[in-house]
């Protein structure tokens, strides 16, 4: 538990992103905390994660872990923690099919913790709170290079000591046999002492050399683990960019890092060969040699990344492109061209992580050459005119549709790195894609992709996603996707979220906080909304599309209230004078915006009415600004701003009575302020 004791005080200063990478959803921080002693007692490093014969041993560890967690949960007096731990223990079942994945996960966590503890703590600001240390790897690589230089210096010292020894021994042989009375006897004793001192120095230096090599290999392993973690993080950020989250696609720093570690590995392998020449094959030498060979293979195989992803919704018979980049491209051995091959694979094949033996789809233009650009120093294979001619579907379960089935592109090649004797087989896969045959399937397919990238875990088994997520998590995804799609900095607010929750949960009269209420995939895009013939996502996507194409500036300047329910609409307009209006998205029509306003009743009262929604087709013929200007019964946009001042910049033609801008009257009522709904509040 020594490692966890050191790690615990550092956790509060780590960025959230680092914590999420360190403790994935498949192995949350709670397991590390409650089972710290047991975890550190197990021999995770003794596993060869590629050796399937060790699976039974890994499965026993999984069973022990589940049992221990259940015991901890049973004896926990806190009911919230108890339920949470029971839930976590059940979730560990994701490892049942691949228990070696558990070993890999725990081992990586322990390695990363050790590495983080070696990073110096950042400087203290004026308030005394430690700043998180930078994890760009530059300091680690610099230290590695210094270690290699120290090893080389040690070797040179040993070489000099060996030469001095050889000389002294040769001189010693020429004066041997003299008796103690000989005047030159004292010279013999001096040389003997000098030889003993040189042999001692040589022994000390040789031990230091081996120790430095062991330290360097260990440091290289930690540094490379950090690099691979960062590459995975880059891929994860690329995945999350689908819902609009920030993504820096610059691979330059990671490429430099890869190349530096390859250089360090090469230098250390050379030094080990020289150790073998000088001292013969000792056990330590073989262990270090195997470690470096494994690190080299891991680095070479993890340096292939999909730089430009294919579209995540692909229509058969349609052209698309994708680019795969090799971060060690400059280090490839010259000679024959390196050909990259693409295949389409199923979700089940993606989990196997090996070259599939069955083709599930026919790809056109599925090969490309890894070409090096000397100007940009990038080595990429670009598939410019790829197409899926046909696709073989898996047997669907229950009500599962073709737009819920996920595939991926699987890229493979074989290449040789300069300085390495044997070629390496490397591979990588794209983000999940959904294959459709008709444009009408695109919106539902995109729903599958949105759910996948918004709610999947960083270190998941491909392509597992939760069936339910907390509503607050859904809110973050919806707002981020909305801003990204519309290209605006104006996101959704808490009033919008509340209305959306009332809609998706079908609880229009509930005013409680929905934050922690679970929302399911079925509620998102499988079940139609009550009284409608479309799903929540289909309706929300229609709003995004309308806003992107016709209403971006109105939304960005907060002139559109957007998502608002009956109760909230009534509350904010009930005391407003006639002519007060606001813009809201239609509740009953996909891709429509309507005007809710306060108007007079026949008996002198007031009522809230809704104008027939405007669709993209309507707004293409006359913009929203012109339509607002031409409707005489609306005068002030909520709360009390004159419409002609607020919307003046959007007016494009002289005032006229546009036929499509006329209001449809919606019935009468004797109450002073009432809702008279058109299309059930449009």
């Amino acid at each position: 538990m020594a490692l966890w004791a050191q790690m615990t005080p550092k956790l509060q200063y780590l960025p959230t992103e680092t914590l999420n990478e360190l403790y994935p959803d498949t192995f949350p921080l709670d397991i590390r905390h409650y089972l710290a002693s047991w975890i550190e007692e197990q021999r995770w490093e003794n596993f060869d994660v590629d050796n399937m014969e060790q699976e039974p041993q890994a499965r026993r560890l999984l069973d022990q872990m589940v049992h221990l967690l259940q015991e901890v949960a049973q004896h926990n007096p806190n009911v919230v923690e108890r339920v949470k731990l029971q839930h976590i223990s059940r979730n560990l079942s994701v490892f049942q099919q691949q228990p070696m994945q558990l070993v890999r996960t725990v081992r990586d966590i322990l390695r990363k913790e050790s590495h983080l503890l070696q990073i110096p703590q950042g400087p203290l600001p004026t308030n005394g709170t430690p700043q998180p240390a930078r994890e760009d790897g530059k300091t680690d690589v610099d230290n590695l290079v210094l270690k290699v230089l120290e090893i080389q210096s040690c070797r040179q010292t040993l070489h000099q000591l060996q030469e001095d020894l050889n000389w002294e021994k040769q001189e010693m042989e020429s004066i041997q046999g003299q008796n103690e009375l000989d005047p030159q006897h004292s010279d013999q004793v001096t040389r003997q002492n000098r030889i003993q001192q040189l042999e001692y120095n040589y022994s000390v230096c040789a031990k230091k050399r081996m120790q430095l090599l062991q330290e360097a290999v260990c440091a290289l392993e930690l540094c490379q683990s950090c690099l691979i973690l960062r590459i995975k993080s880059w891929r994860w950020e690329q995945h999350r960019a689908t819902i609009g989250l920030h993504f820096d696609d610059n691979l330059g720093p990671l490429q430099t890092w890869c190349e530096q570690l390859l250089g360090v590995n090469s230098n250390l392998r050379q030094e080990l060969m020289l150790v073998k020449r000088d001292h013969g094959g000792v056990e330590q030498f073989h262990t270090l040699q195997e470690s470096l060979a494994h690190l080299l293979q891991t680095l070479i195989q993890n340096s292939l990344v999909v730089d430009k992803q294919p579209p995540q919704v692909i229509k058969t018979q349609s052209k698309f492109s994708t680019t795969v980049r090799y971060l060690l491209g400059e280090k490839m051995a010259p000679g024959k061209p390196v050909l990259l091959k693409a295949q389409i694979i199923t979700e089940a094949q993606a989990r196997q992580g090996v070259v599939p033996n069955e083709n599930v789809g026919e790809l056109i233009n599925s090969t490309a050459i890894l070409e090096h650009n000397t100007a940009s120093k990038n080595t990429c294979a670009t598939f410019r005119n790829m197409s899926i001619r046909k696709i073989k579907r898996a047997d669907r379960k229950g009500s599962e549709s073709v737009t819920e089935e996920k595939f991926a592109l699987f890229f493979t090649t074989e290449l040789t790195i300069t300085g390495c004797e044997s070629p390496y087989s490397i591979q990588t896969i794209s983000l999940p894609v959904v294959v459709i045959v008709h444009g009408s399937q695109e919106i539902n397919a995109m729903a599958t992709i949105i759910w996948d990238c918004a709610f999947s875990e960083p270190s998941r088994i491909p392509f597992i996603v939760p069936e339910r997520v907390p509503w607050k998590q859904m809110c973050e995804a919806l707002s981020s996707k909305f801003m990204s799609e519309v290209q605006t900095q104006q996101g959704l607010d808490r009033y919008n979220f509340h209305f959306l929750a009332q809609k998706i949960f079908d609880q229009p009269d509930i005013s409680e906080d929905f934050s922690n209420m679970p929302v399911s995939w079925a509620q998102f895009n499988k079940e139609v909304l009550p009284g409608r013939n479309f799903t929540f996502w289909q309706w929300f996507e229609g709003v995004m599309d309308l806003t992107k194409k016709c209403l971006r500036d109105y939304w960005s300047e907060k002139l559109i209230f957007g998502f608002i329910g009956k109760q909230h609409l009534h509350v904010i307009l009930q005391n407003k004078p006639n002519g007060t209006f606001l813009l809201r998205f239609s509740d009953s029509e996909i891709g429509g915006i309507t005007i809710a306003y306060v108007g007079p009743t026949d008996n002198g009262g007031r009522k809230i009415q809704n104008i027939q929604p405007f669709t993209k087709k309507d707004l293409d013929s006359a913009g929203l600004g012109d339509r607002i200007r031409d409707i005489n019964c609306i005068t002030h946009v909520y709360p009390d701003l004159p419409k002609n001042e607020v919307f003046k910049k959007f007016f494009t033609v002289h005032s006229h009575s546009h036929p499509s801008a006329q209001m449809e009257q919606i019935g009468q009522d004797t109450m002073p302020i009432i809702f008279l709904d058109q299309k059930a509040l449009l």
Side-chain angles (χ1 to χ4, degrees):
M1 193 171 168
L3 183 61
W4 184 242
Q6 297 176 64
M7 196 67 199
T8 304
K10 193 166 186 171
L11 292 177
Q12 59 182 314
Y13 304 122
L14 294 177
T16 304
E17 180 187 350
T18 303
L19 285 173
N20 290 339
E21 290 172 355
L22 192 55
Y23 307 106
D25 290 344
T26 50
F27 197 91
L29 185 61
D30 307 71
I31 301 179
R32 182 68 179 97
H33 171 68
Y34 285 106
L35 303 185
S37 296
W38 180 83
I39 288 171
E40 292 181 32
E41 287 168 2
Q42 310 312 309
R43 297 183 177 180
W44 307 100
E45 293 292 345
N46 288 358
F47 280 89
D48 177 359
V49 293
D50 297 320
N51 183 0
M52 292 300 103
E53 292 181 2
Q54 290 184 300
E55 271 199 359
Q57 186 181 347
R59 190 168 279 108
R60 283 195 294 274
L61 284 176
L62 172 61
D63 293 341
Q64 287 179 40
M65 185 177 291
V66 172
H67 176 71
L68 288 170
L69 265 182
Q70 290 172 344
E71 277 195 348
V72 171
Q74 185 178 356
H75 295 96
N76 197 311
N78 185 316
V79 66
V80 176
E81 283 293 301
R82 185 161 66 246
V83 172
K84 183 180 180 183
L85 288 170
Q86 289 169 345
H87 179 69
I88 290 171
S89 69
R90 286 193 295 271
N91 284 351
L92 284 174
S93 61
V94 298
F95 292 111
Q96 282 293 343
Q97 297 303 316
Q98 290 183 309
M100 296 302 280
Q101 181 67 25
L102 172 70
V103 173
R104 186 182 287 107
T105 299
V106 179
R107 188 186 65 184
D108 287 350
I109 288 173
L110 295 175
R111 287 178 177 178
K112 291 166 195 170
E113 286 178 351
S114 298
H115 175 68
L116 284 171
L117 291 172
Q118 291 186 2
I119 298 175
Q121 184 67 58
L124 290 175
T126 52
N127 63 4
T129 304
Q131 297 298 296
R134 290 183 63 195
E135 295 180 53
D136 57 8
K138 186 178 185 307
T139 303
D140 296 333
V141 174
D142 290 345
N143 289 337
L144 267 172
V145 171
L146 290 174
K147 273 193 181 297
V148 172
L149 290 173
E150 194 175 356
I151 292 166
Q152 291 171 340
S153 175
C154 196
R155 168 171 51 81
Q156 291 163 1
T157 301
L158 278 171
H159 183 71
Q160 184 62 50
L161 285 170
Q162 186 64 59
E163 288 187 340
D164 290 346
L165 259 173
N166 292 342
W167 173 258
E168 291 295 338
K169 287 181 178 179
Q170 178 181 303
E171 290 298 303
M172 186 68 178
E173 287 176 3
S174 67
I175 61 174
Q176 274 182 343
Q178 298 166 348
N179 58 51
E180 295 181 5
L181 298 176
D182 193 306
Q184 292 186 351
H185 178 71
S186 59
D187 185 39
Q188 181 178 340
V189 173
T190 302
R191 286 190 182 279
Q192 184 64 48
N193 291 337
R194 192 179 300 161
I195 288 172
Q196 290 177 351
Q197 184 62 48
L198 285 171
E199 287 176 338
Y200 174 77
N201 292 345
Y202 186 92
S203 173
V204 170
C205 195
K207 286 181 181 177
K208 181 183 178 183
R209 181 189 189 186
M210 205 65 200
Q211 181 183 350
L212 286 171
L213 274 167
Q214 289 175 316
E215 291 174 358
V217 172
C218 183
L220 175 61
E221 187 172 9
L222 290 171
C223 188
Q224 186 166 304
S225 294
C226 191
L227 165 65
I228 292 173
L229 174 64
R230 186 64 197 99
I231 291 175
K232 289 179 178 178
S233 177
W234 185 90
R235 288 172 175 152
W236 173 243
E237 290 163 12
Q238 184 188 47
H239 188 28
R240 301 277 284 170
T242 305
I243 57 168
L245 296 184
H246 173 72
F247 170 53
D248 180 3
D249 64 354
N250 180 19
L251 280 166
L254 290 177
Q255 177 170 311
T256 301
W257 197 348
C258 284
E259 291 169 347
Q260 289 173 324
L261 292 191
L262 181 66
V264 169
N265 192 300
S266 176
N267 287 333
L268 289 177
R269 281 183 290 120
Q270 288 178 7
E271 292 301 320
L272 273 174
M273 290 172 65
L274 293 171
V275 169
K276 185 177 183 180
R277 182 199 66 182
D278 296 340
H279 304 289
V282 296
E283 184 180 346
Q284 286 176 315
F285 167 79
H286 291 300
T287 302
L288 293 177
Q289 192 176 40
E290 288 174 1
S291 295
L292 284 174
H294 176 71
L295 286 171
L296 178 63
Q297 181 179 3
T298 304
L299 179 63
I300 290 172
Q301 291 177 338
N302 279 273
S303 297
L304 189 69
V305 296
V306 182
D307 190 2
K308 305 297 179 188
Q309 291 285 341
Q312 287 191 264
V313 175
I314 301 176
K315 185 174 177 292
T316 55
Q317 312 293 335
S318 298
K319 288 182 181 179
F320 64 92
S321 64
T322 183
T323 301
V324 180
R325 179 167 167 180
Y326 192 52
L327 300 180
L328 290 174
E330 282 197 321
K331 309 301 179 183
M332 291 193 310
K336 65 178 182 179
V338 177
L339 191 68
L340 200 68
K341 180 183 178 183
Q343 296 172 262
I344 190 160
I345 60 173
T346 64
E347 186 171 335
Q349 289 173 330
R351 288 176 192 170
Q352 293 170 4
V354 295
V355 179
N357 53 18
E358 178 191 3
N359 285 328
V360 296
E362 185 178 343
L363 277 178
I364 307 300
N365 299 323
S366 59
T367 58
I369 303 285
L370 268 176
E371 297 179 295
H372 185 69
N373 185 316
T374 52
S376 64
K377 296 185 177 180
N378 296 347
T379 302
C380 297
T382 301
F383 300 81
R384 291 181 175 83
N385 296 296
M386 196 180 282
S387 176
I388 300 176
R389 177 178 288 175
K390 59 183 179 181
I391 193 73
K392 181 181 177 181
R393 303 283 183 183
D395 294 332
R396 291 189 290 280
K397 303 173 183 177
S399 61
E400 187 179 51
S401 71
V402 295
T403 57
E404 295 175 72
E405 187 177 3
K406 287 178 276 192
F407 297 88
L409 294 187
F410 185 76
F411 302 95
T412 56
T413 191
E414 189 175 88
L415 52 80
T416 304
I417 295 294
T418 302
C420 300
E421 296 177 1
S422 304
Y424 288 87
S425 296
I426 60 175
Q427 61 195 46
T428 190
I429 66 170
S430 72
L431 296 178
V433 301
V434 175
V435 180
I436 61 174
V437 296
H438 194 277
S440 61
Q441 298 172 315
E442 185 171 0
I443 292 175
N444 289 335
M446 185 50 69
T448 299
I449 294 301
I450 295 297
W451 188 276
D452 184 274
C453 84
F455 309 124
S456 59
E457 301 161 356
S459 300
R460 65 170 170 175
I461 298 169
F463 296 114
I464 291 176
V465 287
E467 185 63 28
R468 298 175 183 275
V469 296
W471 172 248
K472 60 185 176 184
Q473 201 174 339
M474 172 69 78
C475 290
E476 293 170 3
L478 291 176
S479 185
S480 180
K481 181 61 179 174
F482 189 95
M483 288 191 290
S484 171
E485 195 72 22
V486 176
Q487 291 295 294
T488 178
Q489 296 300 312
Q490 182 62 30
L492 308 184
D493 61 25
R494 60 190 181 94
Y495 299 111
N496 297 156
F497 289 140
H498 191 75
F499 167 69
L500 292 173
Q502 291 176 319
K503 189 173 183 69
I504 202 169
F505 293 121
D506 189 27
Q507 296 185 0
D509 300 323
I510 303 297
S511 59
E512 67 184 43
D513 180 16
F514 292 93
S515 296
N516 295 314
M517 188 176 291
V519 59
S520 68
W521 160 250
Q523 290 169 309
F524 181 66
N525 193 54
K526 206 164 180 65
E527 302 165 351
V528 296
L529 293 167
R532 306 284 185 251
N533 62 352
F534 47 79
T535 66
F536 174 86
W537 167 254
Q538 290 166 350
W539 170 78
F540 185 82
E541 196 279 337
V543 168
M544 281 197 305
D545 189 62
L546 176 73
T547 310
K548 174 176 69 174
K549 294 176 178 175
C550 305
L551 306 171
R552 178 190 293 117
D553 293 341
Y554 298 90
W555 174 267
S556 297
E557 295 186 25
K558 301 183 180 181
L559 300 178
I560 297 176
F561 209 97
F563 304 100
I564 181 171
K566 295 179 183 180
Q567 291 178 325
H568 192 198
L569 184 66
H570 183 273
V571 168
I572 65 176
L573 290 182
Q574 63 179 341
N575 295 320
K576 293 296 179 182
N578 288 345
T580 303
F581 72 98
L582 58 77
L583 298 166
R584 53 178 288 270
F585 297 124
S586 172
D587 189 40
S588 62
E589 186 168 332
I590 292 180
I593 188 167
T594 186
I595 299 173
Y597 74 101
V598 180
T601 62
D602 292 341
N603 61 3
R606 289 178 297 135
K607 60 185 176 183
I608 298 173
Q609 299 195 87
N610 288 274
I611 293 175
Q612 181 74 24
F614 303 121
T615 63
K616 179 182 179 297
K617 183 179 178 181
D618 299 324
L619 298 178
D620 282 344
S621 62
L624 183 62
D626 291 336
R627 291 179 180 276
I628 288 172
R629 182 200 54 203
D630 292 343
I631 301 175
N632 296 327
C633 60
I634 60 175
T635 58
H636 289 74
V637 66
Y638 178 83
D640 54 7
L641 303 174
K643 72 173 186 181
N644 289 337
E645 291 182 18
V646 174
F647 291 93
K648 185 176 182 179
K649 63 160 71 175
F650 300 105
F651 297 164
T652 59
V653 295
H654 294 294
S655 179
H656 64 282
S657 182
H658 198 287
S660 63
Q662 299 305 306
M663 177 191 70
E664 293 185 10
Q665 295 300 323
I666 319 174
Q668 303 293 328
D669 201 296
T670 56
M671 293 182 66
I673 299 179
I674 56 176
F675 278 100
L676 296 172
D677 298 346
Q678 180 184 1
K679 294 187 179 180
L681 194 57
L682 302 175

